[in-house]
Amino acid sequence: MRRTPHQRLRNATAGILATGLAALGLAALPAAANAAADTATPVLTVQYRTGVTSATAGQTAPWLTVRNTGSAPVRLADVKLRYYFSADTPGTAYRFACDWAVRGCANVTGTFGTLAPGTPTADRYLEVGFTAAAGSLAPGATSGDLQLRFHRADWSQLRQSDDHSFGPDRTSYADWTKVTAHLAGGLVWGTAPGGPVVDPPPTRALFDDFVYTAHDDPKLGANGWMVRSWGGGPGVPGATWAPGNVTFGTDGGASVLKLRTETTGTAATTRQAEISTTTMKFRKGTYAARVKFSDAPVQGPDGDHVIQTFFAINDLKAPMADDYAEYDFEYLPNGGWGETGNTLFTTSWDTYDSTGVQPPVNTHTADRAGYAGWRDLVLTIDDTDIRYYVDGRLFGTHSAAYLPERGMLIAFNQWLTSLTGQPDTTTARTYEQAVDYVLHVQDQVLTPAQVNERVIGYRSAGRTFEDTVPAS
């Protein structure tokens, strides 16, 4: 490719690793404290009532509470509740929603599993869980209301009269053994229908809906993001990577991340923006983001060689190191790198020489067309190849020669590759890129449609952030 090899991380690696280790150290303290807590065996009971009593309905509404009847505190993150039902037809897909929860719907999860073999009243179950933010149950304490519901994905009528856990006469809360409670994987309440439970493989994922107030919002760092403030490439030598150019707002009612780049035509007045995860723990699986590219500045004359991106990358440990990896979506609204107009590149990197002596080893796919507006970007990496999708369409496939050997960061940035594209060298101009969400699902290749379903699921459950991807 006709461009300068990227050097995004060369000056940042020490800071990244230090930040990651500090975060891991802090995260370990509560676990140690929990290990030293009261070791008495806790006991849970579940109470149930139904919000929909009819035999057939558009949705099922199991309302639940869980109580700690033991003598030791219980972390809700260790608790799973299962509501068992019979799918009306094979292959039926279901959707979960939380309408109200005392602990907050953002702290309640819902996934669906399968019983094998099933029974006449149950071949599926809804598993209700909690995030760490839901807190703990002291002895005698209750979770409070969990007003839940689920429905068929196509919203067609479902029959609940033959469901194991359904109780049409349960219109007020009472103990209900047909909903089970599990603590740290063990059954501690209720009776499951016959047959072993086939659990879906655990999903390890990062999802962020970018609901923050500013670049220095404490939640941003707590959720594993860092905003760049150090110098260096890529881009105009001497330009500033400005934390204040990373902002948060709304677009069409949705919360968004915004990256702003501004200049008056000199390196000293050029301010660029970058945000990335703090740890290099993402490797194979699915990467997705909804990104708003722009063809024109929000202020001032057009023409600068601006680059708008979504990418995964790790650090180059030495020139031509064979464990380097990088995967880019890069939009050039005004050309650059030898291009004269709108171009979208997807590029997979094997390695490069930071001294510039040897040529870089990479491959790319390019489309010389305009991509302004909201774009659904999906990157998948498995043992076979790397695939890039734009708006549900396969954009490029790159071979196994470019597969990653170790974990990477996830990042977005917007920068100027040079100051040569703009004839007006004095008037201020500002470019903006927006990001609606980011999703990574570890070790699973999802289709663009499945990515969309996963995002809808998070939002339907009121969840704005999740990170269950373990440190590599």
Side-chain angles (χ1 to χ4, degrees):
M1 174 180 282
R2 296 169 288 179
R3 67 183 206 174
T4 302
H6 295 179
Q7 300 180 37
R8 293 187 179 99
L9 299 183
R10 291 179 60 200
N11 300 322
T13 304
I16 292 167
L17 295 178
T19 302
L21 289 173
L24 291 173
L26 290 174
L29 292 177
N34 288 337
D38 186 351
T39 58
T41 302
V43 178
L44 301 175
T45 61
V46 177
Q47 294 196 329
Y48 158 83
R49 60 163 292 191
T50 180
V52 177
T53 60
S54 54
T56 59
Q59 58 190 350
T60 293
W63 293 11
L64 306 171
T65 66
V66 57
R67 179 182 297 276
N68 179 4
T69 52
S71 59
V74 174
R75 283 197 338 139
L76 279 170
D78 296 329
V79 175
K80 302 292 185 185
L81 310 177
R82 285 179 177 169
Y83 179 97
Y84 300 89
F85 64 98
S86 176
D88 296 329
T89 57
T92 301
Y94 293 86
R95 299 289 182 266
F96 166 80
C98 172
D99 291 326
W100 165 254
V102 171
R103 303 285 174 135
C105 279
N107 300 319
V108 179
T109 64
T111 58
F112 295 95
T114 301
L115 288 177
T119 72
T121 61
D123 54 19
R124 306 280 186 93
Y125 61 87
L126 166 66
E127 182 172 271
V128 179
F130 302 87
T131 70
S136 298
L137 293 180
T142 177
S143 65
D145 269 354
L146 301 170
Q147 297 183 13
L148 314 175
R149 58 187 169 87
F150 64 90
H151 58 85
R152 294 179 63 157
D154 61 3
W155 278 104
S156 60
Q157 292 283 295
L158 52 77
R159 184 174 66 254
Q160 58 177 353
S161 58
D162 62 351
D163 292 343
H164 173 84
S165 296
F166 176 60
D169 58 340
R170 299 285 171 154
T171 55
S172 59
Y173 280 116
D175 290 357
W176 191 240
T177 58
K178 291 186 176 182
V179 173
T180 59
H182 305 255
L183 182 62
L187 178 67
V188 295
W189 169 265
T191 304
V197 174
V198 178
D199 290 314
T203 297
R204 294 174 172 178
L206 166 71
F207 172 75
D208 205 324
D209 223 1
F210 293 117
V211 182
Y212 302 101
T213 59
H215 73 275
D216 54 358
D217 186 334
K219 288 199 307 180
L220 197 63
N223 287 348
W225 294 100
M226 62 181 175
V227 177
R228 182 170 178 176
S229 60
W230 55 90
V236 175
T240 299
W241 292 93
N245 282 23
V246 174
T247 62
F248 299 89
T250 59
D251 187 301
S255 57
V256 296
L257 158 70
K258 295 182 179 181
L259 304 173
R260 189 174 69 250
T261 298
E262 53 200 4
T263 187
T264 57
T266 67
T269 62
T270 300
R271 296 166 63 84
Q272 306 171 136
E274 178 173 293
I275 184 171
S276 70
T277 58
T278 57
T279 54
M280 291 182 285
K281 63 179 183 177
F282 308 98
R283 190 178 172 190
K284 294 179 182 178
T286 300
Y287 299 75
R290 184 167 172 80
V291 177
K292 189 176 186 179
F293 295 131
S294 58
D295 277 350
V298 295
Q299 173 192 354
D302 197 6
D304 291 285
H305 289 163
V306 63
I307 315 295
Q308 301 171 343
T309 78
F310 165 45
F311 60 99
I313 189 173
N314 60 29
D315 55 324
L316 183 74
K317 294 182 176 180
M320 304 303 287
D322 60 7
D323 64 349
Y324 177 75
E326 180 181 352
Y327 307 94
D328 304 322
F329 287 94
E330 294 167 312
Y331 183 54
L332 287 61
N334 296 319
W337 297 336
E339 303 295 331
T340 58
N342 311 87
T343 308
L344 178 64
F345 284 106
T346 59
T347 309
S348 300
W349 289 74
D350 181 46
T351 190
Y352 71 93
D353 185 351
S354 54
T355 68
V357 174
Q358 301 183 69
V361 181
N362 62 31
T363 187
H364 72 273
T365 304
D367 185 22
R368 293 165 179 85
Y371 280 85
W374 284 106
R375 300 293 173 182
D376 293 311
L377 310 179
V378 176
L379 159 68
T380 66
I381 303 174
D382 61 14
D383 292 326
T384 304
D385 55 31
I386 303 105
R387 299 192 178 203
Y388 297 85
Y389 297 83
V390 179
D391 295 337
R393 174 178 63 91
L394 181 61
F395 185 92
T397 301
H398 299 162
S399 76
Y402 302 93
L403 293 176
E405 287 85 6
R406 58 188 174 93
M408 300 174 288
L409 302 174
I410 296 174
F412 303 87
N413 63 19
Q414 184 184 233
W415 46 284
L416 299 181
T417 185
S418 73
L419 295 170
T420 61
Q422 173 57 262
D424 184 340
T425 59
T426 59
T427 303
R429 55 266 192 193
T430 303
Y431 298 85
E432 190 172 87
Q433 171 186 347
V435 184
D436 182 19
Y437 71 84
V438 66
L439 172 70
H440 171 72
V441 180
Q442 185 182 60
D443 297 330
Q444 293 184 31
V445 171
L446 304 183
T447 66
Q450 289 172 324
V451 166
N452 187 53
E453 287 184 0
R454 188 69 62 96
V455 173
I456 290 173
Y458 279 113
R459 290 174 168 170
S460 296
R463 304 194 65 188
T464 60
F465 176 79
E466 174 183 88
D467 186 1
T468 55
V469 179
S472 58

